[in-house]
Amino acid sequence: MSETASKTIGTPAREPDAGRWKALVFIALAQLMVVLDATIVNIALPSAQQDLGISDGNRQWVVTAYALAFGGLLLFGGRIADLWGRKKAFVVGLGGFAAASALGGAATNEAMMFGARALQGVFGALLAPAALSLLAVMFTDAKERAKAFGIYGAIAGGGGAVGLILGGFLTEYLDWRWTFFVNIPFAIVAAAGAYFVIREPEGGRNRSPLDIPGVILSTLGLVALVYGFTRAESEGWSDSVTVGMFVASAVLLASFVLVESKVKAPLLPLRVITERNRGGIYLSLGLAIIAMFGLFLFLTYYLQIVKGYSPVKTGFAFLPMIAGMITGSTQIGTRLMTRVAPRLLMGPGFLVAALGMLLLTQLEIGSSYAALLLPAMLLLGLGMGTAFMPAMSLATQGVEPRDSGVASAMVNTSQQVGGAIGTALLNTIAASATTAYVADHIAGATSRSQQQLVQLEAMVEGYTSAIWFAVGILVVAAAIALTFVNAGRPGGTTVASSGEDAADEVQIPVVAH
């Protein structure tokens, strides 16, 4: 084979790490901890608010402080992983996350709680990209990579629902403080395992000087964007500070792109996002997460307030979605990943999820769990699991080792920003529809019980209105995946990117079958 051909077809073969499957256990454990932490605290929030005397106006900061630190620092965290080495960043991230969790569990006032949540976000931003990039550099064989990313994709998608179950159990039977303390054993086991098992491949570090202007602009731009959406949810879209945040974010992120195109050692090399496959994945994943996060929120409220489920029962009600995600990711996605092109898993996956979401537009007060919610959640889980798995794998495939941390950070950034947008945007749509329904129907309700019924009907009307938007968003995500993602199946095809540089090619290893 000619030198040119070998360069085009794939990276040189490297002896795989003997401990890679053991390493996957600890990487998956750390990822589960980070993902479930995003939802586990939501269940505990009412109890924590009461104990610590947090006002209604300030309670959002328990969620927002984490989201701002995590979303704002992800790119920086990914670059630090490339600079320090992924193993070191991973272990330091776990240690810091455990310490911040201990601080949150021991909180005696709101300032201590907000500080602990922000610290969790800081260390999570170091940990999450390091975990994904470790997988990217340790699993190079196409079939093994498919299995590893199948497991990782299932956790990334289903961990939020696991958080709802665990949060319900801990809050109902122990104390809200355990929703923080539970992270400590997770972190210790994952850090110890990673320290002794992970052997990071040599030569993958990016020792270029740190791009300080890029760090400042990206962090401030992402913080302004996430805070803008978070504030829009509580204060409205026309609020002057909300609008100011969006304007500031646009200016800062545009300046960031300009700086990255000029500096010698950029924080985010533009080759990472301009390659059409990765660009398509970041965009479609972000959109899918918008739909997912909104749904978690609405179904939690629907089951607890309209149906009267306890926190634990609500958590268990999400189990079919988790089962669907695990099946879609580890069975469908993993088995087909080496046989069909990624877009033929991602596009149909998002469309199956949209079908599940479409069923949920039929929600009513008396809807049957078995007849409507169960099949809808199974379809959602199957679709998302099938789509997430190739997306996670392809987003870091063919990236130069020195860029793998920041490419992984972009996956997390698209999910984090998507989550913030989804919660704010769909909540606003739901609230507007609920208000309109009450205004139209409350006059006809004469008794107290009739008024309560109208209120519940209005809530469900709000949820279904927002879910219609989520259906549309998933269809757009499918269209983007089918249009932009043009990489061939792992196993023999390389698709050149639109960039001119050889480094911008999507290099897909050729594996002897």
Side-chain angles (χ1 to χ4, degrees), residues 72-199:
L73 291 169
L74 270 166
L75 282 177
F76 183 43
R79 178 67 180 84
I80 290 292
D82 287 336
L83 183 67
W84 284 359
R86 286 131 208 127
K87 177 177 172 177
K88 184 178 179 181
F90 184 70
V91 173
V92 170
L94 281 166
F97 201 91
S101 299
L103 191 67
T108 53
N109 54 50
E110 62 178 36
M112 196 170 164
M113 170 60 78
F114 300 156
R117 289 291 284 159
L119 268 179
Q120 278 187 313
V122 169
F123 286 105
L126 182 62
L127 171 61
L132 185 55
S133 58
L134 274 171
L135 278 194
V137 297
M138 291 180 81
F139 288 89
T140 51
D141 176 276
K143 284 189 174 179
E144 287 193 349
R145 188 181 175 90
K147 286 178 187 172
F149 276 90
I151 294 164
Y152 187 88
I155 289 169
V162 175
L164 293 172
I165 298 172
L166 195 55
F169 257 109
L170 294 172
T171 305
E172 205 164 312
Y173 297 118
L174 289 172
D175 184 68
W176 65 265
R177 294 181 185 278
W178 282 97
T179 60
F180 286 90
F181 292 144
V182 75
N183 290 331
I184 298 169
F186 272 101
I188 290 170
V189 171
Y195 183 79
F196 290 110
V197 170
I198 291 176
R199 298 284 177 270

